[in-house]
Amino acid sequence: MSTPSGFDELIHPSTRLSVVALLAATEWADFPFIRDSLSLSDSALSKQLHTLEEAGYLEIRKEGGGRKRRTKVRLTSRGRTAFEGHVAALRAIVEGAGPAAAAAPATESAAAASGTGQQQQHAEAGR
């Protein structure tokens, strides 16, 4: 199976996907809110934010100074488009697997039934 259009390797790791999904639901989010919502350490979140910012998916603003310095984060339009495309690609993967997964038990049942039928034919032939 080929990878669907829109699948984004940069967003796909679970931590980054969680960050982007959280930001997709809001305009701006404070660093502590993201950190606490996703149960990440400051350093782990900073690393993920930096990676996404370098790709142009996030805008990071630092406001204030000293102890009152606040870091705010938002998805850029590029980041939002990438997230929406990735979600669509994941849906395509899941939906593509659905019919095949549903057909497998039916095929196995048919094979089992035909095997049973063959056993009955052999048993009757032996009588």
Side-chain angles (χ1 to χ4, degrees):
M1 180 170 131
S2 65
T3 304
S5 174
F7 187 89
D8 193 312
E9 293 284 346
L10 185 74
I11 292 175
H12 190 67
S14 62
T15 302
R16 283 189 221 134
L17 183 57
S18 297
V19 168
V20 175
L22 182 67
L23 292 172
T26 186
E27 183 63 29
W28 286 93
D30 291 321
F31 185 95
F33 173 77
I34 301 167
R35 178 197 61 212
D36 296 345
S37 295
L38 302 178
S39 300
L40 296 172
S41 67
D42 285 356
S43 62
L45 179 56
S46 291
K47 180 180 177 183
Q48 300 307 324
L49 294 179
H50 180 70
T51 299
L52 292 164
E53 182 185 35
E54 280 187 333
Y57 290 178
L58 300 182
E59 178 182 349
I60 299 175
R61 284 192 187 160
K62 299 194 182 268
E63 299 174 345
R67 292 181 166 243
K68 298 197 183 228
R69 186 172 189 150
R70 292 177 59 186
T71 301
K72 298 179 81 164
V73 184
R74 76 174 181 108
L75 277 180
T76 61
S77 59
R78 179 179 180 183
R80 192 168 300 277
T81 299
F83 174 67
E84 290 168 357
H86 189 67
V87 169
L90 291 174
R91 284 190 177 121
I93 290 169
V94 171
E95 290 169 1
T107 304
E108 290 171 8
S109 296
S114 69
T116 303
Q118 288 175 350
Q119 289 172 348
Q120 285 178 344
Q121 287 175 349
H122 290 294
E124 290 173 3
R127 288 185 190 170

